[in-house]
Amino acid sequence: MKDIKEEAIELGLKEARKLFGKQVERNKLTTEQMAEKLSNIRPTLSYGDFGHVDLVVEAVVENPKVKDAVLTEVEGLVDEKAILTSNTSTISINRLAENLKRPENFCGMHFFNPVHRMPLVEVIRGEKTSDAAVGATVAYARAMGKTPIVVNDCPGFLVNRVLFPYFGGFSLLVEQGADFQHVDKVMEKFGWPMGPAYLLDVVGMDTAVHANEVMAEGFPDRMARDGKTAIQVMYDNERLGQKNDKGFYAYEEDKKGKPKKVSDDAAYALVKQVVKEEKTFSDEEIIARMMVPLCLETVRCLEDDIVATPAEADMALIYGIGFPPFRGGALRYIDAMGVAAFVELADGLADELGPLYAPTDKLRDMAKSGDTFYAKSA
Ligand SMILES: NC(=O)c1ccc[n+]([C@@H]2O[C@H](COP(=O)([O-])OP(=O)(O)OC[C@H]3O[C@@H](n4cnc5c(N)ncnc54)[C@H](O)[C@@H]3O)[C@@H](O)[C@H]2O)c1
């Protein structure tokens, strides 16, 4: 574990001690195992013996210039067979590979927060990444106990590309008068571990605004927006979410020291700035407006070959963003509704809400021919 700041190293070790300590409390680890695991982490401020490493995960600040500098520096120090990976969530893997001498040994390795809880790791294949590099990174993720999924490079990769249209649906609902706490309750009842406003507080408004800009640039036709969204207003007013105890909700510490969300009038007052209508929505309408953009973007990722199979796409959504597992993922959800019924639902919404809700031509063909994403069981 290499950093440039002593405090950052200490913070990393403290976090590792805390997480292993919890496992000891739950009898999942013995104190001896904890000591062994901690001694396997070698904290350092210098590149020392990086010459012997097999695989590096770069996780420095999300700035392309800093990442370029760190990756090219590391590439010059490691063995020529070593694999370099980046934990970037928004920078193109092809773009980061441009300055490397051995782009075939480089790919993305994208973890999800909270990293010790979320099983998914996206392994992002760049245009020049070799199969051997992908294979080694997949094996490394598995050895960590993670569930890797291999995806091709695009803005947002697979998971964030699908998640941000869902947040887009949320912003539109709020602007048309939906109460964000009600939206959260409806989506939680639908099966999500947390509703979209709460999820945004956990992700952090700064991260969401930045990722949203990347998505809007990558897919302007459906993801670029005129005017401010509720997310932007939260960010402009320094309501970053759980990280500074205020976002769509305010956060207090519960008895165990964990953040507990409470309703906050100040958040409602800010959201009012973007509310343009005073519509009321049924639970069914809220679900449709939230789920259709997410499902359609999953369809596009499959059509664009970002992900290889419906099963992998659905698994990534369940393991990476907590898609209700009993619904089986976005493509399974479309199949369960019936492709034709889904297309009709989306078309109805697209008339009013625009391209975020417009089905693809291939999906229309599927609706006509009766095709499904998964083979129909006999
Ligand atoms: N925060 C998230 O939700 C999230 C999720 C997935 C991926 N990521 C990615 O993880 C990476 C880190 O994000 P974070 O939120 O932990 O950021 P952070 O700012 O908390 O941590 C970055 C660390 O990099 C260190 N650093 C900076 N320059 C360095 C250098 N030249 N050499 C070595 N270390 C250096 C900093 O001292 C700091 O400790 C980013 O690429 C981010 O996109 C973040």
Side-chain angles (χ1 to χ4, degrees), residues 18-29:
K18 188 181 93 188
L19 296 176
F20 289 140
K22 276 189 193 153
Q23 292 190 8
V24 172
E25 274 171 31
R26 292 189 196 124
N27 291 324
K28 287 190 174 159
L29 276 187

PDB file of all heavy atoms in Angstrom, residues 18-29:
ATOM      1  N   LYS A  18      -9.826  -1.880  11.657  1.00  0.00           N
ATOM      2  CA  LYS A  18     -11.238  -1.785  12.061  1.00  0.00           C
ATOM      3  C   LYS A  18     -12.067  -2.909  11.418  1.00  0.00           C
ATOM      4  O   LYS A  18     -12.826  -3.605  12.096  1.00  0.00           O
ATOM      5  CB  LYS A  18     -11.789  -0.412  11.642  1.00  0.00           C
ATOM      6  CG  LYS A  18     -13.169  -0.116  12.176  1.00  0.00           C
ATOM      7  CD  LYS A  18     -13.660   1.241  11.714  1.00  0.00           C
ATOM      8  CE  LYS A  18     -14.467   1.114  10.459  1.00  0.00           C
ATOM      9  NZ  LYS A  18     -14.848   2.360   9.818  1.00  0.00           N
ATOM     10  N   LEU A  19     -11.867  -3.117  10.104  1.00  0.00           N
ATOM     11  CA  LEU A  19     -12.671  -4.126   9.383  1.00  0.00           C
ATOM     12  C   LEU A  19     -12.323  -5.541   9.843  1.00  0.00           C
ATOM     13  O   LEU A  19     -13.210  -6.361  10.070  1.00  0.00           O
ATOM     14  CB  LEU A  19     -12.482  -3.988   7.870  1.00  0.00           C
ATOM     15  CG  LEU A  19     -12.968  -2.672   7.264  1.00  0.00           C
ATOM     16  CD1 LEU A  19     -12.654  -2.604   5.779  1.00  0.00           C
ATOM     17  CD2 LEU A  19     -14.473  -2.495   7.480  1.00  0.00           C
ATOM     18  N   PHE A  20     -11.017  -5.830  10.002  1.00  0.00           N
ATOM     19  CA  PHE A  20     -10.628  -7.160  10.487  1.00  0.00           C
ATOM     20  C   PHE A  20     -11.109  -7.349  11.931  1.00  0.00           C
ATOM     21  O   PHE A  20     -11.538  -8.434  12.323  1.00  0.00           O
ATOM     22  CB  PHE A  20      -9.108  -7.349  10.415  1.00  0.00           C
ATOM     23  CG  PHE A  20      -8.580  -7.493   9.009  1.00  0.00           C
ATOM     24  CD1 PHE A  20      -7.383  -6.880   8.627  1.00  0.00           C
ATOM     25  CD2 PHE A  20      -9.259  -8.240   8.058  1.00  0.00           C
ATOM     26  CE1 PHE A  20      -6.884  -7.016   7.334  1.00  0.00           C
ATOM     27  CE2 PHE A  20      -8.772  -8.375   6.751  1.00  0.00           C
ATOM     28  CZ  PHE A  20      -7.584  -7.760   6.401  1.00  0.00           C
ATOM     29  N   GLY A  21     -11.020  -6.257  12.722  1.00  0.00           N
ATOM     30  CA  GLY A  21     -11.447  -6.319  14.137  1.00  0.00           C
ATOM     31  C   GLY A  21     -12.916  -6.738  14.237  1.00  0.00           C
ATOM     32  O   GLY A  21     -13.289  -7.544  15.093  1.00  0.00           O
ATOM     33  N   LYS A  22     -13.735  -6.199  13.338  1.00  0.00           N
ATOM     34  CA  LYS A  22     -15.169  -6.554  13.341  1.00  0.00           C
ATOM     35  C   LYS A  22     -15.344  -8.038  13.040  1.00  0.00           C
ATOM     36  O   LYS A  22     -16.217  -8.697  13.592  1.00  0.00           O
ATOM     37  CB  LYS A  22     -15.919  -5.722  12.303  1.00  0.00           C
ATOM     38  CG  LYS A  22     -16.303  -4.378  12.857  1.00  0.00           C
ATOM     39  CD  LYS A  22     -17.223  -3.662  11.888  1.00  0.00           C
ATOM     40  CE  LYS A  22     -17.356  -2.207  12.288  1.00  0.00           C
ATOM     41  NZ  LYS A  22     -17.654  -1.355  11.125  1.00  0.00           N
ATOM     42  N   GLN A  23     -14.504  -8.565  12.137  1.00  0.00           N
ATOM     43  CA  GLN A  23     -14.605  -9.995  11.799  1.00  0.00           C
ATOM     44  C   GLN A  23     -14.188 -10.859  12.987  1.00  0.00           C
ATOM     45  O   GLN A  23     -14.734 -11.937  13.201  1.00  0.00           O
ATOM     46  CB  GLN A  23     -13.739 -10.311  10.581  1.00  0.00           C
ATOM     47  CG  GLN A  23     -14.287  -9.673   9.319  1.00  0.00           C
ATOM     48  CD  GLN A  23     -13.583 -10.175   8.070  1.00  0.00           C
ATOM     49  OE1 GLN A  23     -12.788 -11.086   8.098  1.00  0.00           O
ATOM     50  NE2 GLN A  23     -13.880  -9.550   6.952  1.00  0.00           N
ATOM     51  N   VAL A  24     -13.227 -10.360  13.773  1.00  0.00           N
ATOM     52  CA  VAL A  24     -12.817 -11.103  14.978  1.00  0.00           C
ATOM     53  C   VAL A  24     -13.982 -11.123  15.975  1.00  0.00           C
ATOM     54  O   VAL A  24     -14.330 -12.166  16.532  1.00  0.00           O
ATOM     55  CB  VAL A  24     -11.546 -10.475  15.610  1.00  0.00           C
ATOM     56  CG1 VAL A  24     -11.241 -11.111  16.967  1.00  0.00           C
ATOM     57  CG2 VAL A  24     -10.349 -10.637  14.673  1.00  0.00           C
ATOM     58  N   GLU A  25     -14.624  -9.937  16.130  1.00  0.00           N
ATOM     59  CA  GLU A  25     -15.781  -9.859  17.053  1.00  0.00           C
ATOM     60  C   GLU A  25     -16.871 -10.854  16.656  1.00  0.00           C
ATOM     61  O   GLU A  25     -17.542 -11.423  17.495  1.00  0.00           O
ATOM     62  CB  GLU A  25     -16.409  -8.455  16.988  1.00  0.00           C
ATOM     63  CG  GLU A  25     -15.758  -7.446  17.907  1.00  0.00           C
ATOM     64  CD  GLU A  25     -16.281  -6.038  17.613  1.00  0.00           C
ATOM     65  OE1 GLU A  25     -17.452  -5.889  17.194  1.00  0.00           O
ATOM     66  OE2 GLU A  25     -15.490  -5.092  17.785  1.00  0.00           O
ATOM     67  N   ARG A  26     -17.038 -11.062  15.351  1.00  0.00           N
ATOM     68  CA  ARG A  26     -18.084 -11.978  14.871  1.00  0.00           C
ATOM     69  C   ARG A  26     -17.589 -13.410  14.728  1.00  0.00           C
ATOM     70  O   ARG A  26     -18.242 -14.243  14.102  1.00  0.00           O
ATOM     71  CB  ARG A  26     -18.602 -11.504  13.508  1.00  0.00           C
ATOM     72  CG  ARG A  26     -19.354 -10.216  13.617  1.00  0.00           C
ATOM     73  CD  ARG A  26     -20.035  -9.892  12.292  1.00  0.00           C
ATOM     74  NE  ARG A  26     -20.422  -8.496  12.301  1.00  0.00           N
ATOM     75  CZ  ARG A  26     -20.063  -7.601  11.393  1.00  0.00           C
ATOM     76  NH1 ARG A  26     -19.320  -7.967  10.381  1.00  0.00           N
ATOM     77  NH2 ARG A  26     -20.446  -6.348  11.485  1.00  0.00           N
ATOM     78  N   ASN A  27     -16.396 -13.669  15.263  1.00  0.00           N
ATOM     79  CA  ASN A  27     -15.793 -15.009  15.201  1.00  0.00           C
ATOM     80  C   ASN A  27     -15.562 -15.506  13.779  1.00  0.00           C
ATOM     81  O   ASN A  27     -15.543 -16.703  13.527  1.00  0.00           O
ATOM     82  CB  ASN A  27     -16.659 -16.041  15.947  1.00  0.00           C
ATOM     83  CG  ASN A  27     -16.628 -15.782  17.444  1.00  0.00           C
ATOM     84  OD1 ASN A  27     -15.586 -15.377  17.968  1.00  0.00           O
ATOM     85  ND2 ASN A  27     -17.749 -15.977  18.091  1.00  0.00           N
ATOM     86  N   LYS A  28     -15.387 -14.571  12.850  1.00  0.00           N
ATOM     87  CA  LYS A  28     -15.099 -14.996  11.474  1.00  0.00           C
ATOM     88  C   LYS A  28     -13.588 -15.101  11.261  1.00  0.00           C
ATOM     89  O   LYS A  28     -13.129 -15.679  10.287  1.00  0.00           O
ATOM     90  CB  LYS A  28     -15.696 -14.012  10.476  1.00  0.00           C
ATOM     91  CG  LYS A  28     -17.202 -14.137  10.406  1.00  0.00           C
ATOM     92  CD  LYS A  28     -17.770 -13.357   9.253  1.00  0.00           C
ATOM     93  CE  LYS A  28     -19.254 -13.619   9.134  1.00  0.00           C
ATOM     94  NZ  LYS A  28     -19.937 -12.568   8.408  1.00  0.00           N
ATOM     95  N   LEU A  29     -12.833 -14.464  12.145  1.00  0.00           N
ATOM     96  CA  LEU A  29     -11.366 -14.514  12.096  1.00  0.00           C
ATOM     97  C   LEU A  29     -10.861 -14.717  13.510  1.00  0.00           C
ATOM     98  O   LEU A  29     -11.498 -14.255  14.465  1.00  0.00           O
ATOM     99  CB  LEU A  29     -10.809 -13.158  11.641  1.00  0.00           C
ATOM    100  CG  LEU A  29     -10.679 -12.762  10.180  1.00  0.00           C
ATOM    101  CD1 LEU A  29      -9.943 -11.437  10.101  1.00  0.00           C
ATOM    102  CD2 LEU A  29      -9.935 -13.818   9.372  1.00  0.00           C
TER     103      LEU A  29
END
